[in-house]
């Protein structure tokens, strides 16, 4: 199959819009989004690395969440920006498969690290006396290993079945990136197995973290309702609401994109849906997870003071 695809050395990415008057404004808009994403996530990574009082399980997972957000936004956004300023946004066949693999690796890893963070919050709120033992460094490393193993397994499954397909002479991909469903539309051979893999693997990658997050927050809610202090309740609810909003955006847009038949979801709507988990969520995560956090604010002030003194 790889030999048959040798006659198709490249794809053309259609981009987000085909209206010329919108391309320049959209270029600067998404360039701004990407700059905020890079500054926010790299800034959070730096703060956690430089401040020892942030070397806790909660910030360990936040560190890796920011790293994942930065990486998979970088896999997608620069190529997307090219589509706004070039007549033909060309990507080679190996480059397309490489982008597909790393995009899937980071997006699956994100879904599982969100569930690990929910479990961490469950232990912190529901079993505070056992928190240090339950969330030991060894446990955190094992959870993180599981996150990246699931990311690699999901990406490898999709990519391995994708390279087995033969693609038609029409090499225009109706998307701003090499994603699963737009690539399946360009196949000249049966995509039944690929669609089955999508429903099974994506179902696992969305279903398992969703169930974990739901159970964690159900137990957190039960524990919070038993707190007598209104201040304690409001603080816990505030933290949970921010997390749930981000999780809903990420998992909701992913499920809307992948768990519906393509006949019910036009690709143009799919492109808009995918913007949430490829562009918006990585940009918002540093804000909703950390910049509202007092510990991060204190760490930022200390770091700025040190840099000003030096």
């Amino acid at each position: 199959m790889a030999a048959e695809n040798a006659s198709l050395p490249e794809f053309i990415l259609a981009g987000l819009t085909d209206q010329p008057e919108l391309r320049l404004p959209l270029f600067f808009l998404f360039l701004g989004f990407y700059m905020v994403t890079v500054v926010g996530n790299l800034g959070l990574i730096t703060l956690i690395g430089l401040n020892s009082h942030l070397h806790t399980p909660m910030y360990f997972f936040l560190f890796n969440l920011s790293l994942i957000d930065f990486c998979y936004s970088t896999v997608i956004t620069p190529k997307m920006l090219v589509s706004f300023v070039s007549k033909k946004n060309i990507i080679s066949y190996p480059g397309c498969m490489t982008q597909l693999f790393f995009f899937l690796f980071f997006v699956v890893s994100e879904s599982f690290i969100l569930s690990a963070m929910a479990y961490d919050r469950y232990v912190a709120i529901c079993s505070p006396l056992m928190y240090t033992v339950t969330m030991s460094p060894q446990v955190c490393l094992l959870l993180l290993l599981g996150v990246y193993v699931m990311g690699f397994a999901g990406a490898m499954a999709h990519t391995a079945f994708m390279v087995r397909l033969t693609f038609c002479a029409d090499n225009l991909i109706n998307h701003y990136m090499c994603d699963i469903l737009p690539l399946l539309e360009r196949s000249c051979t049966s995509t039944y197995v690929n669609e089955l893999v999508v429903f099974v693997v994506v179902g696992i990658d969305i279903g398992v973290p969703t169930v974990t997050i739901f159970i964690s927050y159900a137990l957190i809610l039960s524990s919070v309702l038993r707190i007598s202090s209104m201040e304690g309740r409001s603080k816990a609810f505030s933290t949970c609401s921010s997390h749930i909003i981000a999780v809903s955006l990420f998992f909701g847009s992913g499920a809307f994109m992948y768990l519906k038949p393509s006949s019910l979801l036009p690709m143009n709507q799919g492109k808009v849906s995918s913007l949430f988990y490829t562009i918006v969520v990585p940009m918002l995560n540093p804000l909703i997870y950390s910049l509202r956090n007092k510990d991060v604010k204190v760490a930022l002030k200390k770091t700025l003071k040190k840099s000003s003194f030096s």
Side-chain angles (χ1 to χ4, degrees):
M1 291 299 179
E4 294 179 29
N5 283 325
S7 60
L8 186 65
E10 61 189 26
F11 292 103
I12 299 174
L13 297 174
L16 192 61
T17 180
D18 56 359
Q19 301 181 33
E21 66 275 9
L22 293 178
R23 289 186 175 183
L24 197 58
L26 286 174
F27 171 81
F28 287 108
L29 175 65
F30 287 104
L31 178 62
F33 284 171
Y34 182 60
M35 292 175 66
V36 173
T37 301
V38 170
V39 172
N41 286 291
L42 290 185
L44 183 56
I45 289 171
T46 304
L47 278 179
I48 295 174
L50 293 178
N51 292 271
S52 58
H53 73 280
L54 296 182
H55 295 175
T56 62
M58 174 182 174
Y59 293 103
F60 171 76
F61 291 120
L62 279 172
F63 180 96
N64 283 277
L65 175 68
S66 292
L67 180 63
I68 290 170
D69 281 335
F70 167 74
C71 290
Y72 95 76
S73 180
T74 300
V75 168
I76 301 302
T77 310
K79 192 63 180 173
M80 176 188 177
L81 293 174
V82 172
S83 67
F84 294 128
V85 295
S86 62
K87 292 182 179 180
K88 282 188 177 181
N89 185 18
I90 297 173
I91 185 170
S92 67
Y93 176 80
C96 186
M97 294 301 110
T98 301
Q99 186 189 54
L100 176 68
F101 174 84
F102 282 105
F103 161 66
L104 292 171
F105 171 74
F106 289 120
V107 81
V108 173
S109 297
E110 170 121 350
S111 69
F112 279 94
I113 203 161
L114 287 173
S115 64
M117 292 170 67
Y119 175 71
D120 172 71
R121 290 299 84 203
Y122 152 73
V123 176
I125 294 174
C126 299
S127 303
L129 298 179
M130 297 294 295
Y131 181 73
T132 304
V133 177
T134 305
M135 299 302 296
S136 65
Q138 293 80 8
V139 171
C140 291
L141 287 173
L142 284 174
L143 287 173
L144 186 65
L145 178 62
V147 166
Y148 289 126
V149 166
M150 292 303 295
F152 179 81
M156 183 58 71
H158 289 298
T159 308
F161 281 97
M162 189 65 69
V163 298
R164 293 167 57 90
L165 297 178
T166 301
F167 295 97
C168 302
D170 182 7
N171 61 348
L172 178 65
I173 299 176
N174 185 21
H175 212 294
Y176 56 83
M177 65 179 180
C178 290
D179 203 355
I180 299 171
L181 300 183
L183 282 168
L184 294 182
E185 288 187 345
R186 300 273 67 84
S187 174
C188 294
T189 51
S190 173
T191 60
Y192 174 78
V193 175
N194 296 75
E195 291 173 5
L196 185 62
V197 170
V198 168
F199 277 97
V200 172
V201 177
V202 175
I204 293 172
D205 293 338
I206 290 181
V208 172
T210 300
V211 171
T212 302
I213 291 169
F214 179 80
I215 293 175
S216 297
Y217 274 107
L219 295 172
I220 288 172
L221 179 62
S222 175
S223 179
V224 168
L225 291 177
R226 293 197 296 268
I227 298 176
S228 57
S229 169
M230 287 300 296
E231 183 180 353
R233 285 187 184 183
S234 61
K235 183 178 180 180
F237 278 128
S238 176
T239 303
C240 293
S241 64
S242 298
H243 186 225
I244 290 171
I245 290 171
V247 167
S248 299
L249 282 173
F250 180 79
F251 287 105
S253 58
F256 187 71
M257 179 71 181
Y258 290 106
L259 298 183
K260 277 192 173 185
S262 57
S263 59
L264 299 180
L265 181 63
M267 190 50 61
N268 287 335
Q269 293 183 24
K271 286 192 284 187
V272 175
S273 174
S274 63
L275 284 175
F276 282 96
Y277 63 85
T278 58
I279 307 295
V280 177
V281 172
M283 179 183 66
L284 293 180
N285 276 342
L287 300 174
I288 60 180
Y289 285 114
S290 57
L291 295 184
R292 294 176 59 188
N293 186 291
K294 291 182 180 179
D295 291 335
V296 174
K297 290 180 180 179
V298 170
L300 180 60
K301 289 179 181 178
K302 287 183 177 179
T303 304
L304 291 176
K305 285 182 180 180
K306 287 181 182 179
S307 61
S308 63
F309 281 129
S310 62

